[in-house]
Amino acid sequence: MERTLSLIKPDAVGRQQIGAVINVLEQGGLRLVGAKLLRLSRAQAEGFYAVHRERPFFGALCTFMCSGPIVALVLEGPNAIQRNRELMGPTDPAKAPAGTLRQLFGTSIERNAVHGSDGPDTARTEIAYFFSASELNGLA
C-alpha cells in the first residue's frame, strides 16, 4: 500500500466539483484516508510550492492557490502515486485524455483542477505539510 497527496484546487472547489473529483479517484481504485477543506495563506502556498520558487509561474501559482478554498486529500492504494497521476492526466487539460480529472474539470494549464504528488519522497513531504499522522485513517 502506498499513500499520496491530492489537492483539489480553488477553481474546481469554486465550481462545486469536490464530490465529482473524489468520485473519479475512488472509482479509479484509490481509497480516501484523509480530507481537509482549507484556505491557504500566502506563506503556506509559498512554502508548499517552494520547489518552484525560481520558476516564472511561481508568483501566479501562489496567488491562484490562495484565491479560494482547496481540499487536501490523502489517498491510499497499490501504486497510489502513479494511479493518481494517471487519473489526473497531464498538466494541460487540452492535452489530457478523456475521462481524466484535468480533462473533465481543468480549464487551462494554470487552472487545472488538481495537484498530485510526483514520487514517494514528495508524497511523504506533501502529506506531512497538511496532515498529522493522527488525522489519517488506515495503514500507518
Side-chain angles (χ1 to χ4, degrees):
M1 284 306 219
E2 184 175 67
R3 285 186 173 173
T4 190
L5 181 86
S6 180
L7 299 179
I8 304 174
K9 295 181 178 181
D11 54 329
V13 172
R15 290 193 314 271
Q16 298 180 319
Q17 296 170 325
I18 297 167
V21 169
I22 292 172
N23 185 56
V24 170
L25 295 168
E26 289 183 327
Q27 294 302 309
L30 296 170
R31 187 168 76 96
L32 186 63
V33 296
K36 283 185 183 181
L37 176 70
L38 60 140
R39 183 137 189 187
L40 296 178
S41 69
R42 182 71 184 205
Q44 286 172 314
E46 289 178 356
F48 185 74
Y49 286 108
V51 67
H52 298 303
R53 188 171 301 280
E54 301 304 319
R55 308 284 293 270
F57 59 81
F58 177 75
L61 173 62
C62 292
T63 298
F64 167 60
M65 291 301 290
C66 297
S67 68
I70 66 165
V71 176
L73 306 169
V74 178
L75 306 168
E76 184 177 79
N79 301 309
I81 296 166
Q82 182 59 36
R83 185 64 184 137
N84 185 46
R85 295 190 69 75
E86 290 167 359
L87 292 168
M88 286 191 314
T91 304
D92 185 350
K95 297 177 182 174
T100 60
L101 292 169
R102 288 178 170 151
Q103 181 272 323
L104 291 168
F105 307 114
T107 57
S108 71
I109 198 164
E110 294 85 16
R111 296 181 179 271
N112 59 19
V114 291
H115 163 90
S117 302
D118 62 6
D121 292 338
T122 306
R124 280 188 289 280
T125 300
E126 290 183 346
I127 290 168
Y129 197 85
F130 292 105
F131 294 89
S132 67
S134 66
E135 294 176 304
L136 303 175
N137 297 309
L139 301 174

